[in-house]
Amino acid sequence: MDMGEYVKVAVDAMGGDNAPVEIVKGAVEAIKESDKVKVYLTGREDVLKKELAQYTYNQEQMEIVPASEVIETAEPPVMAIRKKKDSSLVKALNLVKDGTCDAYVSAGSTGATLVGGQVIVGRIKGVERPPLAPLIPTATGCSLLIDCGANVDARPSHLVQFAKMGSVYMENIVGVKNPRVGIVNIGAEEEKGNALVKETFPLLKNCPDINFIGSVEARDIPAGAADVIVCEAFVGNVVLKTYEGVGLTLMKKMKEGLMSSFRSKIGALLVKPALKETLKAFDLEQYGGAPLLGLKGLVVKTHGSSKANEIKNSILQCIAFSEQKINEKIKEKIMTDEVVSGQEN
Amino acid sequence: MDMGEYVKVAVDAMGGDNAPVEIVKGAVEAIKESDKVKVYLTGREDVLKKELAQYTYNQEQMEIVPASEVIETAEPPVMAIRKKKDSSLVKALNLVKDGTCDAYVSAGSTGATLVGGQVIVGRIKGVERPPLAPLIPTATGCSLLIDCGANVDARPSHLVQFAKMGSVYMENIVGVKNPRVGIVNIGAEEEKGNALVKETFPLLKNCPDINFIGSVEARDIPAGAADVIVCEAFVGNVVLKTYEGVGLTLMKKMKEGLMSSFRSKIGALLVKPALKETLKAFDLEQYGGAPLLGLKGLVVKTHGSSKANEIKNSILQCIAFSEQKINEKIKEKIMTDEVVSGQEN
């Protein structure tokens, strides 16, 4: 295969709780699973060479890009991006900026990825604010929760762009035809909501190129009430984190319950395989990382606790993103818009 | 027992999905369980008489207050309160206003209860905004989520009052000594958050009469990270509803999993009693209704889907509220405050 045909993914090999071991392992698994992808691992050369030495894989699909520094999770993002030019995270972002790579994957600092994505990779022309948009599991499949990023207090025009970018993603990556777009609200009626929602609602309603279905109550999100769940980042973060927290606590409680008597322990052995299968379908980590949409390349943030499997999925997800030309489609949708509003004015 | 000693509770017998059957049943169960409470049922006299005829109970503890109208859940609250003066909901609120009753319980329209509570019963002097504050289950017990009401876009001073009122409630009703107060945020660091949280954080930090522990991420709420969870109503609603939604969907998925094979079905029979016991501890409805704090009487809103047990618990909860003189304590805490800030200015 000609190298030019690879989807090239820069992977921050030093970012995350389980770096570099699980990151390198995930990268190797990704190139073993697909011959369409090439991984550029950024990080300390000696460390990464040693890790890679454990595996056999197609050498042509893997490259190390040396980086001597590491950005820690607790560091103030803006400062970290500015000072640590030779960090694995900044190096990986620069590979996308200079066109060497199509995409970026990191389990490192969320803040640094969000800031660096905007500052180094840069926004697509017309995009006002790039949203972080994880897929979350629902009773019927999955939904895109957009925005869960760090830029809170959004304006209505941002939310409209989120709805459009989210629709492109769900239609082309997840394969949902004419995805239903809902806005997170505290009631189903149009007159309900806070100032932001009330102002955004009519804009979404009058948006011709999305399938807006109105308000979605948080209670109905897990049931799969909409495919694209639009909200301001603070609210999105609260939904996502409550999702995770309730799931974790319920699982813990259930395990305690199952271990509470001899009778239930026997039963637990019998139900375990079936339960495991069901609960896997409700695992937030199954979908790989969350894309930061609207940037000139693909920037993917995975959980800080990512293991090899999530890293692999995140890398493989970049192939579909590239093949489906998501960014070209987002650009088109945002541009059309500008032309339309230009004519209106 | 002398009638003057009763805690008197006005119960909207026509409000909620299961009215009047379950409401009346819950009221009867409450007076059977406690001889400290007297219930005033508001609603259509003929209907309520017929319902009550099924039970034997101490007649002295039950009274019917005729009301010919019913406020429906979908009605615009302000209009409903104004027009339907002879509704069971308005009649019940008026019983608190005129001093006949100490407390009000309704499973009817949330909006009408919130509006009516403020307009008819009225706020305690100094209280800027009355928050709706449900108890939510956690891994270690329960937390008070304050505010989940309908008044969104709160100001920092509102949130400070929520923290105080919530502390009084948790200390005196739930019995948590020196309750830990946290503010819902998207990160643990002080500099994180939206404009409202950033402005409120230092005010809470400098508040001498609460035990402020800083930011709480939504992910940590189910684990029991704080006793009083302070947030603006839109955010509180999103936390509460996501809590409910994830719980419901996970339970449904689990049941499907347990019924998926012969082996798991046998196991399910064995684990059922233990699981039921565990999950009961994580049931949002176990705590009865949510109080609307800061009003001149106690106003309690229960789930629209409330059955007799939740109504009973909500009525019994009014006894502790009255005995512990919560409103006097709230008044004191808010007043002291005014004096202090008065001296400062």
Side-chain angles (χ1 to χ4, degrees), chain B residues 193-224:
Chain B
N194 55 14
L196 175 66
V197 171
K198 281 181 187 164
E199 225 180 301
T200 308
F201 199 100
L203 300 181
L204 290 173
K205 214 174 156 184
N206 294 324
C207 198
D209 49 356
I210 61 164
N211 175 17
F212 183 55
I213 59 163
S215 292
V216 169
E217 281 201 81
R219 186 190 159 94
D220 301 322
I221 295 174

Short mmCIF file of all heavy atoms in Angstrom, two decimals, chain B residues 193-224:
data_model
loop_
_atom_site.label_atom_id
_atom_site.label_comp_id
_atom_site.label_asym_id
_atom_site.label_seq_id
_atom_site.Cartn_x
_atom_site.Cartn_y
_atom_site.Cartn_z
N GLY B 193 -15.48 26.59 35.94
CA GLY B 193 -16.90 26.86 36.09
C GLY B 193 -17.44 27.90 35.15
O GLY B 193 -16.69 28.53 34.41
N ASN B 194 -18.75 28.10 35.18
CA ASN B 194 -19.35 29.16 34.39
C ASN B 194 -19.37 30.44 35.23
O ASN B 194 -18.92 30.47 36.38
CB ASN B 194 -20.76 28.76 33.92
CG ASN B 194 -21.66 28.35 35.06
OD1 ASN B 194 -21.36 28.60 36.23
ND2 ASN B 194 -22.78 27.72 34.74
N ALA B 195 -19.90 31.51 34.65
CA ALA B 195 -19.86 32.82 35.32
C ALA B 195 -20.53 32.75 36.69
O ALA B 195 -19.99 33.26 37.68
CB ALA B 195 -20.55 33.86 34.44
N LEU B 196 -21.69 32.08 36.76
CA LEU B 196 -22.44 32.00 38.03
C LEU B 196 -21.63 31.30 39.12
O LEU B 196 -21.53 31.79 40.25
CB LEU B 196 -23.77 31.26 37.80
CG LEU B 196 -24.60 31.00 39.05
CD1 LEU B 196 -25.10 32.31 39.66
CD2 LEU B 196 -25.79 30.08 38.75
N VAL B 197 -21.03 30.17 38.77
CA VAL B 197 -20.28 29.40 39.76
C VAL B 197 -19.04 30.17 40.22
O VAL B 197 -18.74 30.22 41.42
CB VAL B 197 -19.88 28.02 39.20
CG1 VAL B 197 -18.90 27.30 40.13
CG2 VAL B 197 -21.12 27.16 38.98
N LYS B 198 -18.36 30.79 39.27
CA LYS B 198 -17.15 31.54 39.64
C LYS B 198 -17.47 32.69 40.59
O LYS B 198 -16.68 33.02 41.47
CB LYS B 198 -16.49 32.10 38.37
CG LYS B 198 -15.68 31.06 37.62
CD LYS B 198 -15.03 31.68 36.40
CE LYS B 198 -14.35 30.64 35.53
NZ LYS B 198 -14.05 31.15 34.19
N GLU B 199 -18.63 33.30 40.37
CA GLU B 199 -19.02 34.43 41.23
C GLU B 199 -19.50 33.94 42.60
O GLU B 199 -19.29 34.60 43.61
CB GLU B 199 -20.14 35.20 40.53
CG GLU B 199 -19.97 36.71 40.56
CD GLU B 199 -21.12 37.40 39.84
OE1 GLU B 199 -21.31 37.11 38.63
OE2 GLU B 199 -21.83 38.19 40.47
N THR B 200 -20.14 32.77 42.60
CA THR B 200 -20.71 32.26 43.86
C THR B 200 -19.66 31.63 44.76
O THR B 200 -19.75 31.71 45.99
CB THR B 200 -21.81 31.20 43.54
OG1 THR B 200 -22.74 31.75 42.62
CG2 THR B 200 -22.53 30.77 44.80
N PHE B 201 -18.65 31.01 44.15
CA PHE B 201 -17.64 30.25 44.90
C PHE B 201 -17.04 31.04 46.08
O PHE B 201 -17.09 30.59 47.23
CB PHE B 201 -16.55 29.75 43.95
CG PHE B 201 -15.73 28.63 44.49
CD1 PHE B 201 -15.98 27.31 44.11
CD2 PHE B 201 -14.70 28.88 45.39
CE1 PHE B 201 -15.22 26.27 44.62
CE2 PHE B 201 -13.94 27.84 45.91
CZ PHE B 201 -14.19 26.54 45.52
N PRO B 202 -16.49 32.24 45.83
CA PRO B 202 -15.91 32.98 46.96
C PRO B 202 -16.94 33.38 48.02
O PRO B 202 -16.62 33.46 49.20
CB PRO B 202 -15.29 34.23 46.30
CG PRO B 202 -15.89 34.30 44.94
CD PRO B 202 -16.26 32.92 44.55
N LEU B 203 -18.18 33.62 47.61
CA LEU B 203 -19.23 33.98 48.58
C LEU B 203 -19.48 32.82 49.54
O LEU B 203 -19.62 33.00 50.75
CB LEU B 203 -20.53 34.35 47.87
CG LEU B 203 -20.49 35.53 46.89
CD1 LEU B 203 -21.87 35.77 46.30
CD2 LEU B 203 -20.02 36.80 47.61
N LEU B 204 -19.51 31.60 48.98
CA LEU B 204 -19.73 30.41 49.82
C LEU B 204 -18.52 30.17 50.71
O LEU B 204 -18.64 29.78 51.87
CB LEU B 204 -20.00 29.18 48.94
CG LEU B 204 -21.34 29.16 48.19
CD1 LEU B 204 -21.41 27.97 47.24
CD2 LEU B 204 -22.52 29.11 49.17
N LYS B 205 -17.36 30.41 50.13
CA LYS B 205 -16.10 30.19 50.87
C LYS B 205 -16.04 31.11 52.09
O LYS B 205 -15.50 30.73 53.13
CB LYS B 205 -14.94 30.50 49.92
CG LYS B 205 -13.71 29.65 50.14
CD LYS B 205 -12.70 29.95 49.05
CE LYS B 205 -11.29 29.62 49.47
NZ LYS B 205 -10.33 30.01 48.41
N ASN B 206 -16.57 32.29 51.95
CA ASN B 206 -16.51 33.27 53.04
C ASN B 206 -17.74 33.26 53.94
O ASN B 206 -17.90 34.12 54.79
CB ASN B 206 -16.31 34.68 52.46
CG ASN B 206 -14.96 34.81 51.78
OD1 ASN B 206 -13.99 34.24 52.25
ND2 ASN B 206 -14.92 35.54 50.68
N CYS B 207 -18.61 32.30 53.73
CA CYS B 207 -19.84 32.22 54.51
C CYS B 207 -19.52 31.50 55.83
O CYS B 207 -19.15 30.32 55.82
CB CYS B 207 -20.86 31.43 53.69
SG CYS B 207 -22.53 31.66 54.21
N PRO B 208 -19.65 32.18 56.97
CA PRO B 208 -19.17 31.58 58.22
C PRO B 208 -20.05 30.45 58.75
O PRO B 208 -19.55 29.56 59.44
CB PRO B 208 -19.18 32.77 59.19
CG PRO B 208 -20.23 33.70 58.65
CD PRO B 208 -20.25 33.49 57.16
N ASP B 209 -21.34 30.48 58.44
CA ASP B 209 -22.23 29.51 59.09
C ASP B 209 -22.59 28.29 58.24
O ASP B 209 -23.58 27.63 58.49
CB ASP B 209 -23.48 30.20 59.64
CG ASP B 209 -24.14 31.10 58.60
OD1 ASP B 209 -23.58 31.23 57.49
OD2 ASP B 209 -25.21 31.65 58.89
N ILE B 210 -21.77 27.98 57.24
CA ILE B 210 -21.95 26.71 56.52
C ILE B 210 -20.59 26.01 56.41
O ILE B 210 -19.55 26.64 56.55
CB ILE B 210 -22.54 26.90 55.10
CG1 ILE B 210 -21.60 27.77 54.24
CG2 ILE B 210 -23.93 27.47 55.15
CD1 ILE B 210 -21.89 27.69 52.76
N ASN B 211 -20.65 24.71 56.15
CA ASN B 211 -19.43 23.91 56.03
C ASN B 211 -19.14 23.67 54.54
O ASN B 211 -19.41 22.60 54.00
CB ASN B 211 -19.63 22.59 56.77
CG ASN B 211 -18.46 21.63 56.60
OD1 ASN B 211 -17.37 22.03 56.19
ND2 ASN B 211 -18.70 20.37 56.92
N PHE B 212 -18.59 24.71 53.87
CA PHE B 212 -18.38 24.65 52.42
C PHE B 212 -17.12 23.84 52.09
O PHE B 212 -16.05 24.12 52.60
CB PHE B 212 -18.25 26.07 51.87
CG PHE B 212 -18.10 26.13 50.37
CD1 PHE B 212 -19.03 25.52 49.53
CD2 PHE B 212 -17.02 26.80 49.80
CE1 PHE B 212 -18.89 25.58 48.15
CE2 PHE B 212 -16.89 26.86 48.41
CZ PHE B 212 -17.82 26.25 47.60
N ILE B 213 -17.31 22.82 51.23
CA ILE B 213 -16.15 21.97 50.89
C ILE B 213 -15.67 22.20 49.45
O ILE B 213 -14.79 21.51 48.96
CB ILE B 213 -16.46 20.47 51.08
CG1 ILE B 213 -17.66 20.04 50.22
CG2 ILE B 213 -16.73 20.16 52.55
CD1 ILE B 213 -17.78 18.54 50.05
N GLY B 214 -16.28 23.17 48.75
CA GLY B 214 -15.81 23.49 47.40
C GLY B 214 -16.64 22.89 46.29
O GLY B 214 -17.82 22.59 46.47
N SER B 215 -16.01 22.71 45.12
CA SER B 215 -16.72 22.19 43.95
C SER B 215 -16.98 20.70 44.07
O SER B 215 -16.18 19.97 44.64
CB SER B 215 -15.90 22.44 42.69
OG SER B 215 -15.82 23.81 42.40
N VAL B 216 -18.10 20.27 43.51
CA VAL B 216 -18.41 18.84 43.41
C VAL B 216 -18.71 18.55 41.95
O VAL B 216 -19.54 19.21 41.34
CB VAL B 216 -19.63 18.48 44.28
CG1 VAL B 216 -20.11 17.07 43.98
CG2 VAL B 216 -19.30 18.64 45.75
N GLU B 217 -17.99 17.59 41.36
CA GLU B 217 -18.30 17.19 39.99
C GLU B 217 -19.53 16.27 40.01
O GLU B 217 -19.70 15.47 40.93
CB GLU B 217 -17.11 16.46 39.38
CG GLU B 217 -16.03 17.43 38.92
CD GLU B 217 -15.12 16.77 37.89
OE1 GLU B 217 -15.51 16.72 36.72
OE2 GLU B 217 -14.04 16.33 38.29
N ALA B 218 -20.35 16.39 38.98
CA ALA B 218 -21.59 15.61 38.92
C ALA B 218 -21.31 14.12 39.06
O ALA B 218 -22.09 13.37 39.62
CB ALA B 218 -22.33 15.90 37.61
N ARG B 219 -20.15 13.70 38.57
CA ARG B 219 -19.76 12.30 38.64
C ARG B 219 -19.68 11.78 40.07
O ARG B 219 -19.91 10.60 40.34
CB ARG B 219 -18.38 12.21 37.99
CG ARG B 219 -17.83 10.83 37.83
CD ARG B 219 -16.36 10.95 37.40
NE ARG B 219 -15.66 9.72 37.70
CZ ARG B 219 -15.50 8.74 36.84
NH1 ARG B 219 -15.95 8.84 35.64
NH2 ARG B 219 -14.88 7.63 37.20
N ASP B 220 -19.35 12.68 41.01
CA ASP B 220 -19.16 12.27 42.40
C ASP B 220 -20.41 12.41 43.27
O ASP B 220 -20.41 12.00 44.43
CB ASP B 220 -18.00 13.06 43.01
CG ASP B 220 -16.70 12.83 42.23
OD1 ASP B 220 -16.49 11.69 41.78
OD2 ASP B 220 -15.93 13.79 42.06
N ILE B 221 -21.47 12.99 42.72
CA ILE B 221 -22.70 13.16 43.50
C ILE B 221 -23.27 11.81 43.94
O ILE B 221 -23.56 11.64 45.12
CB ILE B 221 -23.76 13.99 42.71
CG1 ILE B 221 -23.25 15.42 42.49
CG2 ILE B 221 -25.09 14.00 43.44
CD1 ILE B 221 -24.15 16.28 41.60
N PRO B 222 -23.42 10.83 43.03
CA PRO B 222 -24.00 9.55 43.46
C PRO B 222 -23.16 8.83 44.53
O PRO B 222 -23.68 8.02 45.28
CB PRO B 222 -24.05 8.72 42.16
CG PRO B 222 -24.02 9.72 41.07
CD PRO B 222 -23.17 10.85 41.58
N ALA B 223 -21.87 9.12 44.57
CA ALA B 223 -21.02 8.48 45.57
C ALA B 223 -21.18 9.14 46.94
O ALA B 223 -20.69 8.61 47.94
CB ALA B 223 -19.56 8.55 45.12
N GLY B 224 -21.87 10.28 46.99
CA GLY B 224 -22.10 10.95 48.27
C GLY B 224 -21.05 11.99 48.61
O GLY B 224 -20.69 12.17 49.77
#
